[in-house]
Amino acid sequence: MNIMNVDYSTKIPNNVNLSEDRQVLKALEGWHPGYMDWWSDMGPEGFQQSLVYLRTAYSVDPRGWAKFDYVKMPDYRWGILLAPQEENRVIPFGENFGKPAWQEVPGEHRATLRRLIVIQGDTEPASVEQQRHLGKTAPSLYDLRNLFQVNVEEGRHLWAMVYLLQKYFGRDGREEADELLRRRSGDADSPRMLGAFNEATPDWLSFFMFTYFTDRDGKMQLHSLAQSGFDPLSRTCRFMLTEEAHHMFVGETGISRVVQRTCEAMRAAGIGDPSDIAKVRGLGVVDLPTLQKKLNLHYSLSLDLFGSEVSTNAANAFNAGIKGRYHETQIKDDHRLQNDTYPVLKLVNGAIKRVDEPALTALNMRLRDDYTQDCVKGLLRWNKIISMAGYDFKLALPNVAFHRQIGEFRDIHATPDGVLIDDATWSKRKREWLPSTDDGDFIASLMTPVTEAGEFAPWISPPKVGIDNKPGDFEYVKIET
Ligand SMILES: [Fe+2]
Ligand SMILES: [Fe+2]
């Protein structure tokens, strides 16, 4: 079989020759009904009978792998898609640097690998759960379609991780696969594994911030796992990254369109000061200071996903050849890091300082720095829209010490500028920096659905181009209730 193309003749589309891998096929077929139950319980609320203009992967060729068509979400073909195997691939880092990549799980690293796969797997359904109510307030059919595209692909990413668990981890793997369907985002008794994936996504601004900032954490994690010496994990992650790019596109352009619309409305109304919140809100658009607060929240929650700045788990996973660095193969060093250091932001005598730590234990910090750099690109674009409109206002990433629950700064409070403050000041001022109930109520008041093809809610601009180059009035979702 051609590894590039996906076999749609089996119940579970795949390019891993499932029809000849009876045991795994059976395990996956056994898991399928539970997945469909989960999708109907926890997937998008409503719209399950609507025709949605979705892309489906038919190949893993990076030059063209998707085809677009109307699909009812429950009929989406969730499948197992791995990037083609690279011939003679070697482990690109760690103590096993240069040895052939593993095609089976090495016994001594089994527990670590399983843990990493389960954590990654857990985030995928979690975001679908977090976003399940958003369909009923979509600002356009275009946005509604993008939401559902993200949702079905996160569902597929769950399949991707479940395949690895079931194929390579025997009974433990099957149990973990079942657990992935059992946990629920925000549930008091059995929550999802990571903090940001238990937060609510109450409105579309949150959705855009989530896909920009939190999906980007996913991108960084997938990049590091795509370097893995465990070749099936590497190949799985490589293909997931091609899908992930669209999720971040949805976030970046979503926020761009909000900023665009706000600036246009302020100009049309002759508003000179973007911080005149009451006046701007009076126009029925999102004021930029509130946008900044949403950004502060989602960025800081996403930073927590990188774990502690200094971590022996991260060092062990790297040494073992399981989880590499962002763009590992392009880095010019010995890929072992035994004698290297990396500057880590730490709290030293009540001040935030850079301290050199062994590079191996500082890998989380390094990945987080790469993430921050990647985040900046969007801010530059958004700020350009603001300055082009003639406004002196800049969106900015808050300091890494701001609003943290994990790592070096979890026990202190800091302003978005990185000034350390005491508890009382934090309590008094945090609503200047994070969305308040009032802010939430205001945003909620804007969230009225628009379901007419080619129409957009008044708080967001239309996109510059359509999906699959469709014209502006294309009916991306044929709503059936
Ligand atoms: Fe994902
Ligand atoms: Fe994603």
Side-chain angles (χ1 to χ4, degrees):
M1 129 186 215
N2 178 353
I3 182 79
M4 282 295 198
N5 294 320
V6 181
D7 178 5
Y8 275 93
S9 66
T10 45
K11 195 158 155 199
I12 299 159
N14 71 92
N15 71 341
V16 292
N17 228 349
L18 266 188
S19 53
E20 271 158 43
D21 199 348
R22 302 308 299 179
Q23 213 185 344
V24 177
L25 181 62
K26 232 178 94 193
L28 282 168
E29 283 178 349
W31 186 80
H32 189 211
Y35 173 82
M36 293 310 294
D37 286 348
W38 168 81
W39 180 267
S40 88
D41 286 355
M42 297 310 292
E45 200 180 273
F47 305 98
Q48 296 290 338
Q49 292 311 308
S50 301
L51 287 168
V52 187
Y53 194 67
L54 294 176
R55 69 177 185 187
T56 301
Y58 67 91
S59 130
V60 290
D61 186 334
R63 283 163 302 176
W65 53 270
K67 77 171 197 280
F68 290 83
D69 206 350
Y70 283 107
V71 180
K72 288 182 186 172
M73 281 187 279
D75 298 337
Y76 182 81
R77 302 295 310 273
W78 285 285
I80 313 294
L81 310 172
L82 272 62
Q85 188 168 346
E86 252 175 57
E87 235 177 287
N88 305 321
R89 181 168 175 263
V90 294
I91 301 168
F93 58 90
E95 285 164 348
N96 296 306
F97 178 78
K99 292 188 188 155
W102 304 299
Q103 300 305 325
E104 294 293 330
V105 178
E108 70 271 35
H109 303 315
R110 188 185 160 86
T112 311
L113 263 171
R114 194 184 63 200
R115 185 176 56 84
L116 288 174
I117 292 169
V118 168
I119 291 174
Q120 181 61 42
D122 194 67
T123 64
E124 313 290 356
S127 65
V128 176
E129 293 164 3
Q130 289 169 292
Q131 294 160 13
R132 67 185 302 260
H133 304 297
L134 292 174
K136 53 178 186 280
T137 56
S140 71
L141 292 182
Y142 167 88
D143 291 288
L144 188 61
R145 177 266 167 204
N146 284 348
L147 168 71
F148 294 155
Q149 183 71 58
V150 170
N151 292 160
V152 293
E153 286 176 355
E154 300 303 7
R156 203 202 68 73
H157 293 175
L158 172 60
W159 276 89
M161 294 298 116
V162 162
Y163 167 71
L164 293 177
L165 289 168
Q166 294 190 332
K167 179 162 173 69
Y168 297 98
F169 293 88
R171 198 168 55 146
D172 309 355
R174 291 193 292 278
E175 280 167 13
E176 294 284 14
D178 293 341
E179 287 298 296
L180 285 167
L181 292 178
R182 198 183 58 79
R183 286 185 289 272
R184 293 283 184 269
S185 175
D187 190 278
D189 300 321
S190 103
R192 291 294 173 183
M193 297 169 87
L194 303 173
F197 291 89
N198 288 303
E199 299 282 332
T201 308
D203 55 64
W204 277 76
L205 218 45
S206 296
F207 173 64
F208 293 138
M209 291 291 176
F210 186 98
T211 42
Y212 188 78
F213 288 106
T214 309
D215 279 73
R216 191 173 307 275
D217 157 72
K219 167 187 167 180
M220 304 311 286
Q221 303 300 338
L222 291 175
H223 264 285
S224 343
L225 294 173
Q227 301 289 341
S228 184
F230 179 46
D231 205 41
L233 175 60
S234 162
R235 292 169 55 202
T236 300
C237 291
R238 269 184 272 152
F239 186 69
M240 287 163 79
L241 279 165
T242 59
E243 294 169 312
E244 206 58 53
H246 175 67
H247 308 179
M248 284 169 289
F249 161 87
V250 168
E252 184 189 322
T253 54
I255 298 167
S256 288
R257 291 161 54 212
V258 174
V259 171
Q260 179 82 43
R261 180 69 198 106
T262 298
C263 290
E264 283 166 8
M266 290 193 300
R267 279 187 66 126
I271 293 177
D273 176 11
S275 300
D276 192 338
I277 293 172
K279 252 194 191 161
V280 178
R281 287 187 178 181
L283 306 173
V285 295
V286 183
D287 55 285
L288 300 179
T290 299
L291 206 61
Q292 176 68 58
K293 287 189 193 178
K294 282 282 209 189
L295 187 161
N296 289 348
L297 175 67
H298 287 271
Y299 177 68
S300 57
L301 287 171
S302 302
L303 288 181
D304 279 341
L305 294 170
F306 290 86
S308 293
E309 289 83 349
V310 175
S311 156
T312 44
N313 274 347
N316 292 339
F318 184 88
N319 266 336
I322 287 174
K323 187 179 176 186
R325 289 171 294 175
Y326 184 54
H327 291 161
E328 180 72 48
T329 48
Q330 292 162 34
I331 300 173
K332 300 258 177 295
D333 65 11
D334 73 352
H335 303 281
R336 293 172 192 268
L337 307 181
Q338 296 291 349
N339 304 310
D340 298 354
T341 60
Y342 188 85
V344 173
L345 283 178
K346 293 188 115 179
L347 200 61
V348 183
N349 299 328
I352 302 167
K353 292 235 162 77
R354 278 197 186 270
V355 180
D356 278 344
E357 287 284 336
L360 274 173
T361 48
L363 284 164
N364 286 346
M365 176 77 195
R366 180 181 179 124
L367 191 62
R368 204 185 74 193
D369 283 344
D370 290 335
Y371 167 79
T372 298
Q373 268 186 36
D374 211 52
C375 286
V376 168
K377 294 175 197 159
L379 276 100
L380 293 176
R381 291 209 183 103
W382 306 330
N383 284 333
K384 195 162 168 211
I385 297 172
I386 301 172
S387 68
M388 295 278 279
Y391 288 103
D392 182 21
F393 186 99
K394 268 197 163 72
L395 294 165
L397 295 176
N399 189 281
V400 293
F402 171 78
H403 186 237
R404 298 298 306 281
Q405 262 111 69
I406 300 225
E408 196 63 25
F409 305 110
R410 66 170 187 268
D411 297 325
I412 54 107
H413 292 301
T415 69
D417 294 330
V419 177
L420 299 181
I421 49 174
D422 60 21
D423 288 7
T425 313
W426 169 258
S427 305
K428 209 163 63 202
R429 299 194 59 191
K430 68 177 176 192
R431 291 303 158 211
E432 294 172 32
W433 305 315
L434 291 169
S436 64
T437 317
D438 281 356
D439 297 328
D441 291 347
F442 169 68
I443 295 168
S445 77
L446 298 179
M447 299 291 128
T448 42
V450 174
T451 52
E452 208 57 46
E455 304 272 307
F456 288 81
W459 55 271
I460 189 165
S461 293
K464 289 207 175 75
V465 276
I467 292 296
D468 192 29
N469 284 319
K470 291 297 176 206
D473 60 352
F474 186 72
E475 194 179 10
Y476 288 99
V477 184
K478 294 181 196 270
I479 294 177
E480 192 70 50
T481 42

